[in-house]
Each structure stands twice: as structure tokens, then as C-alpha cells.
Amino acid sequence: MKLSLLAQAISLEFSGIDKEVTSFATLKEATSSQITFFDNPKLLTDLQNTKAGVVILSSAYQEYLPKTSQALISDNPHLSMAYASVYFAKKAFDTSSPAHISEKCFISPNVVIGSNSVVEEGTEIMPHVTIGANVKIGKNVKIFPNVVVYDDSIIKDNCIIQAGAIIGSDGFGYAHTKMGEHIKIYHSGNVILEEDVEVGSNTTIDRAVFGSTIIQKGTKIDNLVQIGHNCEIGQACILVAQTGISGSTKLGRNVIMGGQSATAGHLEIGDFATIAARGGVSKSIEGGKIYGGFPLTLQNEWLKTQAKLAKFFKKN
Amino acid sequence: MKLSLLAQAISLEFSGIDKEVTSFATLKEATSSQITFFDNPKLLTDLQNTKAGVVILSSAYQEYLPKTSQALISDNPHLSMAYASVYFAKKAFDTSSPAHISEKCFISPNVVIGSNSVVEEGTEIMPHVTIGANVKIGKNVKIFPNVVVYDDSIIKDNCIIQAGAIIGSDGFGYAHTKMGEHIKIYHSGNVILEEDVEVGSNTTIDRAVFGSTIIQKGTKIDNLVQIGHNCEIGQACILVAQTGISGSTKLGRNVIMGGQSATAGHLEIGDFATIAARGGVSKSIEGGKIYGGFPLTLQNEWLKTQAKLAKFFKKN
Amino acid sequence: MKLSLLAQAISLEFSGIDKEVTSFATLKEATSSQITFFDNPKLLTDLQNTKAGVVILSSAYQEYLPKTSQALISDNPHLSMAYASVYFAKKAFDTSSPAHISEKCFISPNVVIGSNSVVEEGTEIMPHVTIGANVKIGKNVKIFPNVVVYDDSIIKDNCIIQAGAIIGSDGFGYAHTKMGEHIKIYHSGNVILEEDVEVGSNTTIDRAVFGSTIIQKGTKIDNLVQIGHNCEIGQACILVAQTGISGSTKLGRNVIMGGQSATAGHLEIGDFATIAARGGVSKSIEGGKIYGGFPLTLQNEWLKTQAKLAKFFKKN
């Protein structure tokens, strides 16, 4: 899309040399044909080093922009980015081109596989599965009926996806107008399931805004679990049923999340941490310990407190 | 169905002039060809003013029935209604008649659209979607793969429904016998998604017993959310993942429900209220405030109480 | 599979007379052509009485093995069982043989029914439903769109399964290596829904490792509920939305589980017990009472405690 047309479409002023803009990316990763935005002062160094062709930002920060980048000035760069994102949204689940399917696969009747997707040998795809475009599915993967895998997902060797799971749906991301409307941020990222991951039935894993939501090797996810956009789940984690992981949270390796546990967004959980059932993680925690309760504490402290509490208020 | 046959089928005595009964409705909305029931003394005025052709009620209230309505006397009108409801249940997902689909739509392969449903221009329906009968889908709607939209639903312009979401399944409504059996109340209502609503993957929205479950304009719903029958969700609300809204609850505009939060049924939440993650709403609350905890309180009070509690029981 | 080859495949030593091993079963139920494992000293009597052809166990217990059984010695029998289970896993959702479908059924377009499955008269199966192999579906069952029923499930008369529900997915069961890897236990059990059961939309019910996950007659399950492997849910229970029942837990009859409630695994809940919304059951409880809170207590005690607690910490 021509930058001049994009600027007009999202009601920003444009002056300068017009150019073609192909897609969105982060400050760090955008190249000269891409557009990005800046609204977080903590990322000032990223702004100063960006290789992006165009950056949406407020006038106060224009001086930090490299000369190789073109500015689009906005009072609310996050909102302008949301308005712009729809212009780079691809048609989803396109099937106009053929997929590349190994002859040594087992593809059931009533399966749809999108344009340019690759399915390697030994993989089995069961009825009523929908695979998007540009998806890569490795060897000896089992995809049970009625699973949906969105565009651009990568599913590595030996993964198992139980029925009804959704891999790569749009993350829950919006910018907000002064009038209280929510403007959708169209997601251009994807989901990567590394080798030996199992995903339970009707679990949902959202793709990243930019970049990837990653589930590392050997992690096992139970039924009805929610994993938000841009999460990174370490290797060999265990996520028990109905757990919810909010966006951009990182789990180390061998983390265990008990049933109906949850985390807030943008936090880190260390290697070998265990969160007991119903535990609610609202800030980053170190690994190797067993936590529980909400607000979160060490599980044995939570148990002690609850026991004392019940006794105390029976008397008082 | 003939009233005499219906009465016999549900083991109620019938005397009077026989008539054709076409369907069920509420006391307020039923017309002369419809049947309804009365078992809530608070609705006595509705009974006195009903235009229903037939009312199932206990003999104690027969005197309040208008002369235009015929009585069916029952010791347990709610249970009799449940027994009767199956006789008015339509065959679901009928495909015997054609749908009316704009030529300017994008309908993927492997899509089923039921009898007399309408799909307007610019709308995209992806593989393995099942649309029931008499559904109305507006302009520029995106329905991702493996979504199910039950009969009679209305999806207005620009809505987005992520993969695996279920719109319009039967609400969880039963009447109970003395022996502890649960008798299904067949739901005749629908779901309405107003303009610009987004529904997350594998979210479920039940249709109303009578009337409509309504999601107002611009509301955004995350993954794995449950919305019960007859709820009304105001405009521009945000419902984060794994939230549960029980039946007949009303949210005002711009209400935010945090992750894994929930409400009991038949209550109201005022405009611009925020419920923090895990908050459990068990009675009606006014708008404009931030609530949390379970039992619910103001969020900052909950945080203070939890902090004090942990300290107190460490010492005592 | 030849025992000698199986032993080699899972890196256990084998000496003795070779034999054909057909499948896995429990100590109690295995027959002379089956293999089982022993690692729980509480089941020593079962070991002494087993009719299994082969038992994987540690050398310490070999002396208790009947002479009719062959030993496979392992330092970690549970892990060895997990490694072996994949060799007995059948190809899922096989459609190579025809199903047996009554002429008096209503099978929608775009339905897949697996090999040797039986569908009896009056039953209705809606679009994009996937039924596995060797499934038995009784009379007058309604299966709404996009439901998945795994191999070997039994769905008895008059059941209703709302859209997107998953019946019989693999339970969340793994053995663990010293290196922290999780080795999948392939499940060979099934799910049985007795007569008049209703299952809500996008609910998931896992099949048993061995034997059956059972939902007894007349039980009603709401949307987005999770039921783990080997659970037994008594008759006429009510499970409200987003409830989670962990593996091997038994509910008596007419148990009510409120919204977002949950249980740990391997426990029992007595007849006519009610668990209020959000109640978390972590040990066995007797019937006939109303419980709530987490840790669980009697609901009215929980309410009193919470009320006192709020008051106390406002002052102190």
C-alpha cells in the first residue's frame, strides 16, 4: 500500500517522499518496507535504532527517529496503529493455491488445507479439520477432528492436537478511542508449537500481534486452556485444564500450572515453578518453588493462613 | 397443535373450547394463538394483562386470568411448561429450503447454511461453519472456521466470530420433578449480536428461553467465555477470557470483566463498572467503580484486606 | 504384538516363552493375552490374583506374581507402561469399514461416521459432526453441529449433545522421565453417556485410560465444563458452566456443582451434595449438604467467615 494512501485512510498528515509499505512489524524487527509505531518511552533505544521505513509516533519523539525512517505524527500512535492494521490484514484461510502434502500422509475426507501449506510425512489429519494458508506441519503429527489451525502457524514433529482445539486465533487486542470504542488490532503474528507438544480438546492459543506465540518442546496442555497472544511457554511445561495464561507472559521450563490457575499478562515464571490449582499469578516469580492462592503466595503459607483464618473467625 | 391434545400430552385436564396453539411466549408477549405460564406472584399484573391464548397456572390464580385467555390448571406450572416445550421445538438446523446468499459474499467450501437464512454482501464464511435456519447475517461479517450459529440468530454488520465459537446453543434450563429428575425446557428464543461485536474462539453464547440474548454494539468477547440465556451485554463491553455470565444478567455499557471473572444470574452491573480478574459478582452493583474479590467488594479494599490478612496470620 | 519385540521396543529385558500380546488392561481386568503394570503397593492383592498374561513390575514384587503371568522387570513400571502404550494405540477415527445407520435416522450432509459404528432410529446428527469408529449411538439422540465423538464411545437413548462438545478425547495422563520429559499414556478406555444425558456446547469429556468415564442417567452438563478421565458422574447431577472435575473422581446422584466450581482427582462426593459456585473440593465429602469456598467448607460457614473477615480487617 502507498504510504500516502495509508496516511489518508487513518487520518494522519503525510508529507515527504511517498513509498510502498508492505506490512507491520515491531520497532526492533521492522525493515525499510515496513511500518511500526512508538508509544512506550522505555523503548526509546529501539526507536533510535529502528530500521523501519515508517514510524507512527507523537511529535514529541520525532527528534529521536533515524533519518532512514519516515514519521507519521499521531496524538495516539497505538490507536493509529490499530486503524492502520486492517489495511495489512491478509484474507484469512485462503484456498486459492494448492497445498503441498506428502504422499505418506493420512488426510481424512472433509479436510480443508489452505494455500501453500505444507504437511510432511507420517502426519494424520482427521475429519473437519481446517488448516489455514502458509501453515507448516511437520512429521508424525496427529490432528484430531474439528481442529482449526490459523494461517502461518508452525506445528513441528510429533505434536498431537486433540479435537476442537484452536491454534492461532486473533489475540484480544484493541486500541481505545476517547468515546470508549474498541478498535481491533489486526494480528500479523503466528503460533509455533515445537516438537512433542500436546494440546487438549477445545483449548485456544492466540497468535502474536507481531512475531510468535511459542509453545516449546515437550509441553503438554490439557483441555479448555487459554493461552494469550505473544506468550512463550517453556519446554516440558504442564498446563492443567481450564488454566488461563494472559498475553505476553513467559513460563520457564517444566513449569506446572494446576487446574483453573491463571496468570496476569507481561510477567515471567521461573523454571520448575509449580502453581497449585486455582493459583493466580499477578507478578513475576522465581522458579523451583510451589505457589498457590490469590493473591499468590507460597502454597504451604497459603494453606496455613487458610487454616488459621477458618479457626480464628469461628471463635471471633 | 390442538390445545386438547397438548393438555393430554402433558397430563393436564382440559375443558373448554378447543383451539390451535402455535408456540410459547412470555406472559407479556404472548398473543392469542400462543401459550404461556404463570408461577411468579411478582408478575401478577402481567397475568392480569396477558393477551396469551392459554396460560398454565395453579388454580389459586385462575381468578386473575383475563376472559380472553384459557386456563390449564397445574400444581407445578413451570414443570408443565417444560413438558409442553418439547411440542413446540422446531427441527434444528433444517436445510430443506434454500438460503439467500448475496453474490458478493465469500462462502468457503464445506459450509452448511440452513433454510431461509440470509447472508449479506461482503461477508466471509470460512470452512466447516454451520449456520442454522432463519439466521440473518449482515454485511462485512467474518465467521472463522468451525463456528456454529444456531437457528434464528441475528448477526449484524461488521461482526467477527473467531473459530469454534458457538452462538445460540440451548440455555441450561430445566424444571425438576419431585423424584429429582430434570426436565428440559426447550428454548425458543435467539441470540442477537449487534454491529461490530467480536466473539473469541470457543466462546459459547446461549440463546434465550423466550426473546433474545443480546450483545450490544461494539462489545468484544475473548476466548472460552460463557454467556448464559437471556443475558443483555451493553455496548462496548470487554469480557476477558474464561469469564462466565449467568443467565438473565444485564451489563451496562463499557463494563469490563477481567479474566476468569463471573456473575450470578438475574443481576445488573452499571455502566463503566470494572470487575478485576477472578471477581465474582453475586448481587447488582452500580457503575463507574472497580470491583474485585469473591465475595465482591471494591478492588482496592479487597487488595488491602488480603494484604492485612496475610500479615495478621503470619503473626497469629 | 510379540512380547519379545515389545520388550525390546521399551528397553526391558525379556527371557522366557514368547507370546502374542494384544492390548493393555488393569491388573484386575487383564486376561491371558493382555499386558498390565504394577506400581502401587496398595494393589498387592490384585497383583496376586491377576490373570494378566504379562505384568510390568519392579523386581521387588516379582515373587507375588502368579505363575500364569510373565514378568517384565522395570525400575519404573508406570513409565515403561507409558512407553508400551503407544504400541497398542489403534488408528483413531478409522473410516475404512462402513457404519451401521438405521434408515430412520436424520444424518445431515457433511457428517463423518467411523467404521462399524451404530446409529439407532430416531437419532439426528447435524452438520460437521465427526463420529469415530465402533461408537454406539442409541435412539432419539440429538447431536448438534461440530460435535466430535471419539472411538468406542457409547451414547444411550435420548441424549442431547450441544454444538462443539468433545466426547472421549485422550485424558491428560503422562509418565515422567528423570530428565523431566512427559511420556504420553495412550488411552484405551472410552466414555459412556447413559440415557437422557445433556452435554453443553464446547464441553469436554475425556475417555478413561482403561475402562470407562461414565455419566449416569439424566445428568445435565452445561457449557465449557471439563470432565477428566475415569470420572463417574452419578445420575441426575447438575454441572453448571465452566466446572472442572479432575480425573477418577466420583459424584453420587443429584450432586449439584455450581458455576466455575471444581474438584481435585480421586475423591468422592456423596449423593445430593451441592457445591456452590467457585467451590473447590479437595477431599471426599459426604452428601446432603451445601458446601462452598476454597478450601471447601459448609457454604453458610464460608459466608459467615467472609463477612467477619471483611469487617475485622476494615478495623484492624
Side-chain angles (χ1 to χ4, degrees), chain C:
Chain C
M1 190 178 197
K2 283 281 175 202
L3 179 54
S4 56
L5 291 175
L6 179 65
Q8 196 178 9
I10 64 174
S11 301
L12 296 184
E13 243 175 71
F14 166 73
S15 63
I17 301 159
D18 206 5
K19 54 156 82 180
E20 192 69 26
V21 181
T22 57
S23 57
F24 247 103
T26 61
L27 269 177
K28 262 194 169 165
E29 291 170 2
T31 63
S32 63
S33 66
Q34 291 183 301
I35 185 168
T36 188
F37 78 108
F38 171 82
D39 73 343
N40 181 354
K42 288 182 191 161
L43 301 179
L44 193 58
T45 311
D46 287 354
L47 177 63
Q48 291 173 305
N49 295 311
T50 189
K51 298 198 160 45
V54 187
V55 180
I56 305 173
L57 79 181
S58 73
S59 56
Y61 290 95
Q62 194 172 1
E63 59 180 301
Y64 299 101
L65 193 65
K67 288 185 183 165
T68 48
S69 293
Q70 173 99 34
L72 278 188
I73 302 302
S74 166
D75 289 347
N76 186 340
H78 189 240
L79 179 59
S80 294
M81 193 276 275
Y83 281 128
S85 67
V86 67
Y87 295 100
F88 299 103
K90 292 181 296 181
K91 186 186 174 309
F93 289 90
D94 178 72
T95 55
S96 60
S97 300
H100 309 289
I101 298 169
S102 161
E103 287 177 16
K104 291 177 182 161
C105 283
F106 310 90
I107 311 290
S108 291
N110 293 28
V111 164
V112 173
I113 303 180
S115 298
N116 303 313
S117 287
V118 175
V119 184
E120 295 192 63
E121 66 187 64
T123 284
E124 196 178 342
I125 301 183
M126 303 186 207
H128 302 125
V129 167
T130 313
I131 308 284
N134 303 307
V135 170
K136 287 192 181 117
I137 301 178
K139 296 181 179 64
N140 302 316
V141 170
K142 275 189 205 311
I143 301 185
F144 280 83
N146 294 51
V147 162
V148 178
V149 179
Y150 277 60
D151 295 349
D152 305 313
S153 300
I154 297 174
I155 316 280
K156 296 192 178 174
D157 298 352
N158 304 316
C159 284
I160 298 174
I161 306 178
Q162 297 287 337
I166 310 293
I167 311 297
S169 43
D170 286 4
F172 197 61
Y174 302 90
H176 312 285
T177 70
K178 285 177 187 164
M179 302 299 295
E181 296 157 313
H182 314 300
I183 308 301
K184 180 177 177 72
I185 298 164
Y186 283 81
H187 284 49
S188 61
N190 73 346
V191 169
I192 301 175
L193 305 186
E194 292 187 357
E195 294 83 355
D196 299 304
V197 166
E198 181 158 3
V199 177
S201 51
N202 281 346
T203 277
T204 59
I205 304 178
D206 283 346
R207 66 184 160 140
V209 186
F210 309 116
S212 298
T213 302
I214 301 174
I215 315 294
Q216 288 186 24
K217 196 178 159 164
T219 280
K220 310 298 183 185
I221 302 171
D222 201 352
N223 300 343
L224 294 170
V225 169
Q226 152 71 0
I227 296 179
H229 50 182
N230 293 80
C231 286
E232 289 187 38
I233 309 296
Q235 62 173 291
C237 291
I238 292 277
L239 278 60
V240 179
Q242 296 177 320
T243 289
I245 311 288
S246 297
S248 300
T249 280
K250 287 186 196 189
L251 275 58
R253 62 165 294 190
N254 284 85
V255 170
I256 299 173
M257 302 285 305
Q260 295 187 344
S261 66
T263 76
H266 297 273
L267 55 81
E268 297 196 25
I269 298 181
D271 296 346
F272 295 97
T274 291
I275 313 301
R278 292 266 178 91
V281 186
S282 52
K283 55 183 183 185
S284 292
I285 50 176
E286 58 177 328
K289 292 177 178 168
I290 302 174
Y291 301 89
F294 180 60
L296 197 78
T297 179
L298 292 174
Q299 171 70 352
N300 58 16
E301 284 182 15
W302 182 75
L303 289 170
K304 271 185 216 162
T305 299
Q306 295 299 318
K308 286 179 179 175
L309 181 161
K311 232 185 245 172
F312 182 85
F313 287 111
K314 237 173 226 173
K315 286 184 288 182
N316 293 277

Side-chain angles (χ1 to χ4, degrees), chain A residues 14-255:
Chain A
F14 166 72
S15 64
I17 301 158
D18 207 4
K19 55 155 82 180
E20 191 69 26
V21 181
T22 58
S23 57
F24 248 102
T26 59
L27 268 177
K28 262 195 168 164
E29 292 171 2
T31 62
S32 63
S33 66
Q34 291 183 302
I35 185 168
T36 188
F37 78 109
F38 171 82
D39 72 344
N40 181 353
K42 289 182 191 161
L43 301 179
L44 192 60
T45 310
D46 288 354
L47 177 64
Q48 291 172 305
N49 295 311
T50 190
K51 298 199 160 42
V54 186
V55 179
I56 305 173
L57 77 180
S58 72
S59 56
Y61 289 97
Q62 192 170 2
E63 59 181 301
Y64 298 101
L65 193 65
K67 287 185 183 166
T68 49
S69 294
Q70 174 99 33
L72 278 187
I73 302 302
S74 165
D75 289 347
N76 186 341
H78 188 239
L79 179 61
S80 294
M81 192 277 274
Y83 281 126
S85 67
V86 67
Y87 295 100
F88 299 103
K90 292 181 297 181
K91 187 187 174 309
F93 289 90
D94 178 71
T95 55
S96 60
S97 300
H100 309 288
I101 299 169
S102 161
E103 286 177 16
K104 293 176 181 162
C105 282
F106 310 90
I107 310 290
S108 292
N110 294 28
V111 164
V112 172
I113 302 179
S115 297
N116 302 315
S117 287
V118 175
V119 185
E120 294 192 65
E121 66 188 63
T123 284
E124 196 179 341
I125 301 183
M126 303 187 207
H128 302 126
V129 167
T130 312
I131 307 284
N134 302 309
V135 170
K136 287 191 181 117
I137 301 178
K139 296 183 178 63
N140 302 315
V141 170
K142 276 188 204 311
I143 302 186
F144 280 83
N146 295 50
V147 162
V148 178
V149 179
Y150 278 60
D151 295 349
D152 305 312
S153 300
I154 297 174
I155 317 281
K156 296 193 178 173
D157 297 352
N158 304 314
C159 284
I160 298 175
I161 307 179
Q162 297 287 337
I166 310 293
I167 310 299
S169 42
D170 285 5
F172 196 62
Y174 302 90
H176 312 284
T177 69
K178 284 179 188 163
M179 301 299 294
E181 296 157 312
H182 315 300
I183 306 302
K184 181 176 176 72
I185 297 164
Y186 284 81
H187 284 49
S188 62
N190 73 344
V191 170
I192 300 174
L193 305 186
E194 292 186 358
E195 294 83 356
D196 299 303
V197 166
E198 181 159 2
V199 177
S201 50
N202 282 347
T203 277
T204 59
I205 304 177
D206 283 345
R207 66 185 160 137
V209 185
F210 308 117
S212 298
T213 302
I214 301 174
I215 316 294
Q216 286 185 25
K217 196 179 160 162
T219 281
K220 311 298 182 184
I221 303 172
D222 202 351
N223 301 343
L224 294 170
V225 170
Q226 152 71 359
I227 296 178
H229 49 183
N230 293 80
C231 284
E232 288 186 40
I233 310 296
Q235 63 173 291
C237 291
I238 293 276
L239 278 58
V240 181
Q242 297 178 320
T243 288
I245 310 289
S246 297
S248 301
T249 280
K250 287 186 194 189
L251 274 59
R253 63 165 291 188
N254 284 85
V255 170

Side-chain angles (χ1 to χ4, degrees), chain B residues 257 262-265 267-269 275 279-285 293-294 296:
Chain B
M257 301 286 305
T263 75
L267 54 81
E268 298 196 25
I269 298 181
I275 314 299
V281 186
S282 50
K283 55 185 183 184
S284 291
I285 49 176
F294 180 62
L296 198 78

